[in-house]
């Protein structure tokens, strides 16, 4: 238990909480660690821990919290307590927590800001959560393109924020024209014009760029930050490597959570009813697909009555198809995300996937057919399941390619809905193939 | 088709390839784009494209390729062609491609390196793929801690690599003692000692740190790079934000691919047999779990013969449990990864998940029971499936918490194997609950 987060959780979950111990533990930790610790204890205890946090640190911690956790905590606070958080709020913080705040609280926060920050806020909210315009910060060194190296150096000397190795140059109308790296200035003479040191074609982002695409670009160019401009080429802010790392971290969490209908903002201790409702939607979608599959099984009731072994074995056929199809789907979804799949290679890809499916289909059909023969002593039943496995795995390969490509064409994210549609198809195809062949061969 | 990768794929997949067009397209693209394009065409065409690439660019492109794609390409090349790649190889490049090379080729490459690079290579291979010691680069500015600001500035003026805003200071025995930021030097006098500007407790990484943990740390400290040291505090290299962004990108891909038994090195056009073999392992594991579930269904053959509706409906019970369990599992796996789950909050968490499961169980039991009553006109069948749904969803909640926690204790990654174990449990529990209750209530 050397982990400070674990220790704090331990402290907070004791029946007899020592306020002094909690106080000192909390105020020694970084805001993101406290945020994580708050999210790790039952909601009833969070208010207690919150009261131990120094007023000056509270806003930073709130900013670091997950969306749902923050909303739940803010619900426990009185209006005057929330208003007190905003004494030192800036546009970036407010943009981060705005979704968890009622409108009148946002107004109070805006009143406490200076006009510059208010302008940044109003600019930021015009962009979506996943657009880089919402992610930027404003701690960048900006200067006129006409200044000299000596003046630029003075700006760098006073720079205090992270990733300050870039000077952003603007022209007289305020449009961004280029960037100069600090390293370049070191080799110049004080009276040189900085514009002569400007990097040609310095890369930039438009504010509506998807944040994941922006992170890709920043990784590629190996720079600490990129300017973000609006459609008029006016500077909106900068997108730096800290933003890019955060964007990828959230993307990973989101990708892992979304496969089960949750999202990365979900709270570990979300209240029972709220949690049940969120998850219920996904269960409902699944129920529809499950009933659809059952309806197809229902068509073969007469067969199942006579050959009950078919009922025993049918989940095997469905599940092998589901797994094989998911493998193809995963490969295609990655290919689509990377821009690897075009009209020119789709046919070769389909051919290859069907060959892989055919080969694995035959191999596993022989294996499963043999096992079923040994289990039920019926060669015809073994033949039935073997053929059904081959048909369903090939069907799965076909669906694994076609479904994500169609979804992508329809601008629906195949990573999100591809899997549900695919397994519905492989379930139904599996039941029809197996029970249909059973009706033909075994009755 | 404004995308250069798509255009190149298009060019390469035409029957009548224009070598000139391919040549100019390839040599205008960045190495990572060419690598991606090569991975997007059938393997037979890759050799042809490869021949269009200038010798000087080939190694860079090879380094950017995915493991499997690289291995497949190298297999098509003659030994002398591979040896020709190494005229300008450095330790980092060789470490990246070593897994795809036969041993004698690695020896040839090592012979072409200078002794410093050879040393870096031998140091790098002692670490695993996911340890930061394997990821470092060596383009860092190192100086003795006794130098003055003027000398340090001279080093920065000559610096040419990316992320060069840090000077790494070592003592007389070569041990790393601290770092100085370029910004700090700007405000100092030329004759000052740089050691007086050293950041106190500058964070560092030990070379055996997991690369994802290293990325987390780099994001947290908002710096461009961190020193990586060995157990004797000797500098192994630096881990910069470019490395961190790459690590997170690969982690995301790996996380998405591994759920179906693939990995992020898989080639889109991997040869049929090779591909079938890789995927076959996962299909085999799935088959074992499917047969296990079938064996439990088999125990109820007598019941199924009499009430065939149970066979029609049993997939619904299994699948609802699987979905509900995966939701809990996902939340717990994230919690474990973030260090949120400790002995102190496990009981509260289990209680909450069982409550959520209970609530959703009752809601969906009523819904499904009602639908089954309407479909089969049997109140007892509706009751049977309703009870089975409640039991299985609660069982799923329990398993969703307990399985990942146990796997984590056993040092098995719950993100990888948790899902297979969980759905096996919910399948079996669902069949036993539904068919068992059916035997009691309906016969």
């Amino acid at each position: 238990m050397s982990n400070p987060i674990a220790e704090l959780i331990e402290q907070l979950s004791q029946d007899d909480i020592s306020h002094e111990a909690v106080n000192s533990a909390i105020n020694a930790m970084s805001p993101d660690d406290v945020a994580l610790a708050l999210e790790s204890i039952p909601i009833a205890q969070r208010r207690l821990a919150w009261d131990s946090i120094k007023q000056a640190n509270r806003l930073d911690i709130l900013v670091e919290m997950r969306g749902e956790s923050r909303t739940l905590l803010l619900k426990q606070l009185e209006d005057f307590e929330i208003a007190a958080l905003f004494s030192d709020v800036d546009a970036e913080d407010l943009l981060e927590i705005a979704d968890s705040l009622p409108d009148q609280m946002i107004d109070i926060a805006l009143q406490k800001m200076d006009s510059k920050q208010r302008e940044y806020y109003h600019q930021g909210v015009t962009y979506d959560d996943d657009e880089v315009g919402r992610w930027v910060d404003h701690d960048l060194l900006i200067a006129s393109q006409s200044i000299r190296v000596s003046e630029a150096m003075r700006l760098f000397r006073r720079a205090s924020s992270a990733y300050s190795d870039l000077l952003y140059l603007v022209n007289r109308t305020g449009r961004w024209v280029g960037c100069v790296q600090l390293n370049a200035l070191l080799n110049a003479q004080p009276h040189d014009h900085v514009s002569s040191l400007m990097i040609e074609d310095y890369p930039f982002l438009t504010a509506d760029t998807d944040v994941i695409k922006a992170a890709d670009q920043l990784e590629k160019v190996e720079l600490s930050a990129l300017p973000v401009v609006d459609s008029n080429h006016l500077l909106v802010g900068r997108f730096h490597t800290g933003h890019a790392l955060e964007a990828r971290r959230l993307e990973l969490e989101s990708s892992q959570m979304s496969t089960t209908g949750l999202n990365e903002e979900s709270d570990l201790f979300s209240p029972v009813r709220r949690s049940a409702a969120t998850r219920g939607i996904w269960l409902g979608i699944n129920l529809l697909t499950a009933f659809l599959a059952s309806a197809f099984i229902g068509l073969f009731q007469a067969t199942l009555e006579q050959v009950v072994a078919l009922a025993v074995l049918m989940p095997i056929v469905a599940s092998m198809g589901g797994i094989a199809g998911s493998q193809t789907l995963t490969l295609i979804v990655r290919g689509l995300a990377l821009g690897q799949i075009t009209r020119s290679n789709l046919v070769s890809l389909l051919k290859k996937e069907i060959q892989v499916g055919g080969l694995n289909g035959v191999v596993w059909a022989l294996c499963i057919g043999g096992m079923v023969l040994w289990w039920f002593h019926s060669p015809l039943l073994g033949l039935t399941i073997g053929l059904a496995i081959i048909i369903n795995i090939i069907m799965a390969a076909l669906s694994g390619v076609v479904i994500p490509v169609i979804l992508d064409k329809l601008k629906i994210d195949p990573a999100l809905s591809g899997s549900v549609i695919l397994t519905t198809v492989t379930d139904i195809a599996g039941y029809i193939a197996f029970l249909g062949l059973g009706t033909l061969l075994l009755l």
Side-chain angles (χ1 to χ4, degrees), chain A:
Chain A
M1 283 262 177
S2 61
N3 175 350
I5 298 174
E7 265 174 54
L8 185 62
I9 297 169
E10 179 74 48
Q11 287 284 355
L12 285 167
S13 49
Q14 274 162 19
D15 290 332
D16 182 25
I17 295 183
S18 149
H19 288 274
E20 220 164 293
V22 170
N23 261 334
S24 66
I26 278 187
N27 292 301
M29 283 159 71
S30 66
D32 52 332
D33 282 347
V34 179
L36 195 60
L38 285 178
E39 289 166 9
S40 311
I41 51 176
I43 290 175
Q45 296 168 15
R46 289 187 195 172
R47 175 65 211 248
L48 206 82
W50 181 254
D51 290 336
S52 297
I53 300 169
K54 282 194 194 128
Q55 179 67 38
N57 300 339
R58 287 184 180 172
L59 182 63
D60 287 344
I61 290 164
L62 210 57
V63 167
E64 293 293 336
M65 287 177 84
R66 260 164 237 294
E68 189 181 4
S69 313
R70 181 165 50 225
T71 306
L72 292 169
L73 178 62
L74 284 169
K75 271 193 191 156
Q76 293 184 286
L77 302 182
E78 304 289 338
D79 279 0
F80 77 91
E81 292 177 289
I82 299 177
L85 294 168
F86 301 138
S87 64
D88 198 29
V89 69
D90 64 16
E92 289 151 42
D93 289 347
L94 188 59
L95 281 168
E96 189 76 42
I97 66 174
D99 286 344
S100 313
L101 287 173
D103 283 349
Q104 82 268 26
M105 283 296 149
I106 295 180
D107 289 339
I108 292 176
L110 285 171
Q111 282 161 26
K112 297 201 181 178
M113 285 179 179
D114 65 31
S115 63
K116 197 78 210 160
Q117 291 295 326
R118 211 148 41 220
E119 195 189 313
Y120 290 151
Y121 176 82
H122 287 303
Q123 192 174 48
V125 286
T126 62
Y127 300 104
D128 284 344
D129 271 353
D130 56 356
E131 289 178 340
V132 76
R134 182 104 180 205
W135 285 67
V136 297
D137 76 1
H138 306 279
D139 301 330
L140 61 179
L141 304 176
I142 306 179
S144 152
Q145 62 177 337
S146 63
I147 69 162
R148 290 170 195 272
V149 167
S150 53
E151 292 168 81
M153 288 303 282
R154 209 172 310 135
L155 289 172
F156 277 109
R157 270 189 213 109
R158 286 191 308 225
S160 59
S161 76
Y163 312 112
S164 312
D165 60 344
L166 270 185
L167 183 62
Y168 299 76
L169 299 178
V170 292
N171 68 12
R172 262 183 241 179
T173 57
R175 285 180 174 73
W176 172 79
V177 291
C179 282
V180 179
Q181 280 188 297
L182 173 54
N183 292 62
L185 293 174
L186 298 181
N187 287 311
Q189 298 302 318
H191 57 272
D192 286 351
H193 282 285
V194 289
S195 54
S196 66
L197 305 168
M198 238 168 43
I199 299 170
E200 289 273 326
D201 300 325
Y202 194 93
F204 64 93
L205 300 165
T206 51
D208 59 356
T209 306
D210 182 276
V211 70
I212 290 301
K213 295 253 160 67
D216 292 348
Q217 208 170 325
L218 193 57
E219 182 190 349
K220 208 162 166 169
V221 297
E222 299 198 313
L223 292 162
S224 68
L226 290 175
V228 177
V229 300
D230 68 11
S231 51
N232 293 317
H233 236 63
L234 293 166
L235 262 182
V236 173
R238 65 170 182 169
F239 181 77
H240 59 58
T241 49
H243 296 135
L245 282 168
E246 186 187 355
R248 290 233 169 121
R249 179 166 46 77
L250 295 180
E251 172 77 358
L252 175 63
E253 269 198 26
S254 154
S255 140
Q256 290 168 340
M257 306 290 282
S258 64
T259 53
T260 55
L262 302 174
N263 72 59
E264 76 278 13
E265 304 289 354
S266 307
D267 190 289
L268 194 59
F269 283 100
S270 178
V272 173
R273 257 195 243 177
R274 187 186 167 102
S275 187
T278 319
R279 301 190 198 177
I281 297 168
W282 199 250
L283 283 166
I285 294 172
N286 174 65
L287 183 60
L288 288 179
T289 71
F291 260 112
L292 191 62
S294 283
F296 281 94
I297 302 174
L299 300 176
F300 298 96
Q301 283 195 56
T303 308
L304 286 169
E305 266 169 33
Q306 291 181 55
V307 194
V308 73
L310 290 172
V312 175
L313 296 170
M314 65 186 189
I316 294 177
V317 180
S319 109
M320 290 298 275
I323 298 285
S326 302
Q327 293 179 327
T328 302
L329 180 82
T330 304
L331 204 68
I332 302 297
V333 166
R334 183 187 66 173
L336 286 167
L338 295 172
Q340 282 189 299
I341 293 171
T342 67
R343 224 173 312 144
S344 349
N345 60 11
L346 196 57
V347 175
S348 326
L349 206 51
L350 198 58
K351 223 168 81 184
K352 174 227 152 193
E353 282 301 318
I354 288 174
Q355 284 172 345
V356 174
L359 180 53
N360 260 335
V362 170
V363 168
W364 291 107
L366 288 172
C367 174
I368 294 167
M371 285 163 90
V372 166
L373 174 61
W374 171 80
W375 187 0
F376 290 91
H377 313 289
S378 158
L380 268 181
L381 185 61
L383 179 67
T384 304
I385 197 167
L387 289 175
I389 288 282
I390 295 176
I391 293 172
N392 202 25
I393 291 188
I394 292 179
M395 183 69 196
L398 190 71
S399 315
V401 175
V402 171
I403 290 171
V405 169
I406 290 177
L407 288 175
D408 190 62
K409 278 257 178 287
L410 300 173
K411 310 271 176 217
I412 300 170
D413 182 4
L416 234 104
S417 44
S419 181
V420 177
I421 301 175
L422 177 98
T423 49
T424 307
V425 170
T426 52
D427 276 358
I428 293 173
Y431 295 136
I432 293 180
F434 186 47
L435 302 177
L437 283 168
T439 309
L440 291 177
L441 298 176
L442 299 173
L443 291 194

